[in-house]
């Protein structure tokens, strides 16, 4: 592999973010060629590959944290980032250092420029994925937990020939312009990460999606573990703290009840999926005790997933960016906070069925919704169209103005939920966590 270009950190970010985001024709050919030019470091890694419309990030975090609690060196690759670009590549929770990111990007850039000249220009996410594979291989991680970007079949992470395990958390309508307009079409894309004889764990899938995944697993003789058939969870007495307590069926190790910091029944299901992954890994090579898993699971946090960033008044951030995710948030609010007035500040990308997303929220009693905008990476929902179709929502184009106004009006037990695009959540989170006043 060529030594590559000498870059500093800012030059590396400029190079990465200056690349095209998507190509019209889905293919893994560019990614395979890029990785071959870089020495195919992904072939040295033990990879747990995780996809799903919703829940894949949290499930990835649970698996990585439990493996770490068992004493392993664990790489975790997720997207999008919430705070810094480096956060996409962590090892035992520590993000890649600026100097390491710059050095690896220089090596990748040298090969990318050759491919550019050949008319095979890699995309931003392909380059990001290449950086991840190189970094985890260089650092000799025991396991790499790799979250899919979009879909599965043509996602740049899917050049993995033989993962240790494949996981599909959920299947719902999202990214339809890319993945298809039906649950079956989307399931087909997500099932693309299943490889021959590789164990597969799936969450609570709609029947149509489960049929597609089951067929694919059978064709490839991949052992399939299904939520609701092979394992399940049961939420028990609510925790007084911010989180959930649950039991697992069948039980795992010597732990009777499990605690997580993340709130919502859907997070319990994500945790149950992650525990099933650990159950299956133990059959092959991973050594763990029930206490290891309990410790790792309970310690897991995940920014922007019903994350409380302010106590009085209560302000919560959640990147529920599609209808299925917002449906779960609605259930969480109704169950956990009955009788409390809910104020919502939401910004939605245009390709996320914004009217359907908002209709989910409108079913909550005593709710007030303000729709806003931000400097997003893709077109945002048209605020005037939303106001015309749903006149009861408020519209404020400047999110900083909307947030300031809402905070001033919160009373007593009121809750402010900031939700929608994860990119929007990242901007708002900077204000609460780091005191920044804008999204730059």
């Amino acid at each position: 592999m060529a030594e590559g270009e000498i870059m500093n950190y800012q030059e590396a970010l400029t190079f990465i973010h200056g690349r095209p985001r998507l190509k019209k024709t889905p293919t893994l050919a560019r990614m395979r060629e890029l990785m071959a030019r870089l020495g195919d470091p992904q072939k040295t890694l033990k990879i747990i590959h995780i996809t799903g419309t919703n829940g894949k990030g949290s499930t990835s975090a649970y698996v990585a944290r439990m493996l770490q609690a068992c004493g392993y060196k664990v790489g975790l690759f997720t997207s999008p980032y919430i705070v810094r670009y480096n956060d996409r590549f962590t090892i035992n929770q520590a993000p890649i250092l600026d100097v390491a990111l710059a050095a690896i990007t220089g090596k990748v850039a040298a090969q990318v420029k050759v491919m550019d000249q050949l008319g095979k220009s890699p995309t931003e996410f392909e380059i990001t994925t290449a950086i991840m594979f190189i970094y985890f291989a260089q650092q000799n991680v025991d396991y790499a937990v790799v979250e899919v970007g979009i879909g599965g079949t043509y996602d740049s992470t899917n050049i993995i020939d033989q993962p240790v395990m494949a996981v599909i958390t959920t299947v719902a309508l999202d990214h339809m312009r890319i993945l298809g307009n039906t649950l079956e079409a989307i399931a087909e894309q997500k099932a693309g990460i299943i490889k021959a004889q590789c164990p597969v764990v799936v969450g609570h899938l709609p029947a149509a999606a489960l049929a597609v995944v089951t067929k694919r697993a059978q064709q490839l003789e991949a052992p399939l573990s299904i939520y609701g058939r092979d394992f399940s969870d049961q939420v028990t007495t609510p925790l007084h703290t911010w989180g959930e307590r649950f039991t697992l069926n069948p039980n795992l190790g010597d732990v009777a009840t499990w605690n997580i910091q993340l709130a919502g029944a859907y997070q319990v299901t994500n945790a149950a999926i992650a525990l099933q992954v650990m159950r299956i890994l133990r059959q092959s090579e991973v050594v763990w005790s029930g206490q290891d898993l309990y410790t790792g699971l309970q310690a897991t946090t995940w920014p922007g997933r019903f994350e409380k960033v302010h106590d009085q008044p209560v302000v919560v951030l959640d990147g529920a960016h599609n209808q299925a995710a917002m449906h779960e948030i609605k259930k969480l609010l109704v169950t956990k906070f009955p009788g409390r007035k809910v104020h919502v500040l939401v910004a939605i990308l245009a390709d996320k069925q914004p009217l359907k997303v908002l209709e989910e929220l409108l079913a909550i009693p005593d709710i007030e919704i303000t729709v806003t905008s931000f400097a997003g990476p893709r077109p945002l929902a048209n605020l005037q169209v939303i106001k015309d179709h749903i006149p009861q929502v408020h519209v404020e184009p400047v999110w900083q103005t909307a947030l300031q106004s809402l905070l001033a009006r919160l009373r007593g037990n009121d809750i402010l939920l900031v939700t929608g695009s994860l990119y929007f959540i990242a901007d708002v989170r900077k204000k609460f966590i780091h005191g920044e006043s804008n999204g730059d």
Side-chain angles (χ1 to χ4, degrees):
M1 184 172 71
E3 281 301 304
E5 300 185 7
I6 304 299
M7 287 185 170
N8 63 31
Y9 177 70
Q10 197 53 54
E11 288 167 341
L13 288 187
T14 299
F15 170 75
I16 294 163
H17 296 322
R19 302 300 302 181
R21 291 184 60 86
L22 287 172
K23 298 281 185 164
K24 287 183 179 178
T25 306
T27 177
L28 290 177
R30 284 187 310 273
M31 189 65 195
R32 291 193 190 282
E33 179 172 339
L34 177 60
M35 295 315 299
R37 290 174 174 276
L38 293 165
D40 279 326
Q42 76 281 1
K43 292 184 177 179
T44 69
L45 297 169
K46 291 181 178 178
I47 296 171
I48 298 160
H49 203 188
I50 301 181
T51 190
T53 305
N54 297 308
K56 59 184 181 291
S58 302
T59 302
S60 298
Y62 285 135
V63 171
R65 198 66 186 263
M66 284 192 286
L67 282 167
Q68 181 188 343
C70 297
Y72 294 100
K73 185 177 184 180
V74 188
L76 174 62
F77 177 64
T78 56
S79 61
Y81 62 94
I82 297 293
V83 183
R84 292 186 85 219
Y85 178 78
N86 303 44
D87 298 341
R88 302 182 78 151
F89 327 85
T90 64
I91 296 177
N92 287 6
Q93 301 170 76
I96 188 173
L97 296 175
D98 291 0
V99 63
L101 179 65
I104 294 172
T105 303
K107 291 180 180 179
V108 175
Q111 300 305 321
V112 166
K113 289 184 178 178
V114 174
M115 291 180 66
D116 282 348
Q117 292 170 355
L118 297 171
K120 303 174 180 178
S121 300
T123 65
E124 179 180 351
F125 190 68
E126 286 167 346
I127 290 165
T128 296
T129 305
I131 292 167
M132 174 269 295
F133 283 137
I134 294 170
Y135 178 55
F136 289 167
Q138 281 181 352
Q139 295 299 313
N140 198 27
V141 298
D142 296 314
Y143 289 93
V145 180
V146 174
E147 178 191 354
V148 166
I150 295 176
T153 300
Y154 294 108
D155 188 77
S156 59
T157 62
N158 202 34
I159 59 162
I160 302 162
D161 294 323
Q162 196 60 31
V164 174
M165 192 171 309
V167 181
I168 303 172
T169 57
T170 56
V171 173
L173 296 176
D174 197 10
H175 296 294
M176 291 180 288
R177 185 172 55 84
I178 300 169
L179 302 180
N181 292 319
T182 66
L183 289 174
E184 291 89 343
I186 293 171
E188 192 77 48
Q189 291 289 322
K190 297 193 185 304
I193 71 166
I194 300 173
K195 305 294 164 52
Q197 298 174 339
C198 165
V200 185
V201 177
V202 301
H204 184 56
L205 305 188
L210 182 58
V212 171
V213 172
T214 301
K215 182 180 178 182
R216 167 87 175 174
Q218 288 171 344
Q219 287 171 339
L220 294 172
E221 298 180 348
L224 184 60
S225 183
I226 301 171
Y227 178 87
R229 184 192 75 178
D230 303 301
F231 68 101
S232 62
D233 58 71
Q234 180 66 50
V235 178
T236 62
T237 312
L239 288 174
H240 295 298
T241 54
W242 197 262
E244 305 288 348
R245 175 176 288 141
F246 67 98
T247 57
L248 197 66
N249 182 34
N251 201 12
L252 202 55
D254 52 0
V255 179
T257 58
W258 304 83
N259 292 351
I260 54 174
Q261 291 189 52
L262 302 178
Y266 57 96
Q267 287 293 3
V268 171
T269 300
N270 292 336
I273 293 167
L275 286 164
Q276 186 68 5
V277 169
M278 297 303 296
R279 186 196 307 273
I280 295 169
L281 285 174
R282 194 186 201 186
Q283 296 169 6
S284 53
E285 53 196 78
V286 172
V287 177
W288 54 253
S289 70
Q291 187 57 49
D292 291 334
L293 303 190
Y294 183 91
T295 300
L297 203 63
Q298 189 176 38
T300 304
T301 58
W302 200 232
R305 274 69 171 187
F306 215 78
E307 178 188 16
K308 184 165 63 170
V309 293
H310 200 271
D311 252 317
Q312 291 181 330
V314 172
V315 180
V316 179
L317 309 182
D318 193 279
H321 58 282
N322 54 43
Q323 185 182 5
M326 201 63 81
H327 179 73
E328 295 297 337
I329 292 298
K330 175 183 71 177
K331 289 197 295 186
L332 171 55
L333 288 168
V334 170
T335 304
K336 285 271 188 182
F337 308 102
R340 293 171 71 165
K341 183 171 181 64
V342 179
H343 302 261
V344 177
L345 178 62
V346 58
I348 312 170
L349 296 175
D351 59 0
K352 298 292 182 180
Q353 297 183 294
L355 296 178
K356 290 187 176 181
V357 169
L358 292 171
E359 283 164 6
E360 287 288 346
L361 286 172
L362 285 167
I364 299 171
D366 205 8
I367 190 165
E368 181 182 292
I369 300 173
T370 301
V371 186
T372 190
S373 60
F374 71 108
R378 302 199 302 277
L380 300 180
N382 185 300
L383 299 187
Q384 189 56 54
V385 170
I386 288 174
K387 185 68 176 174
D388 290 344
H389 282 80
I390 311 177
Q392 61 266 52
V393 304
H394 305 282
V395 168
E396 168 50 66
V398 181
W399 72 258
Q400 293 92 337
T401 303
L403 180 62
Q404 191 172 5
S405 172
L406 285 165
L407 288 172
R409 288 193 285 118
L410 292 181
R411 296 288 180 269
N413 264 345
D414 290 3
I415 296 171
L416 172 58
L417 168 65
V418 182
T419 189
S421 167
L422 271 168
Y423 299 103
F424 172 54
I425 297 308
D427 281 359
V428 179
R429 192 177 189 274
K430 288 178 185 176
K431 179 175 179 61
F432 282 97
I433 304 298
H434 305 290
E436 298 178 23
S437 60
N438 58 46
D440 297 337

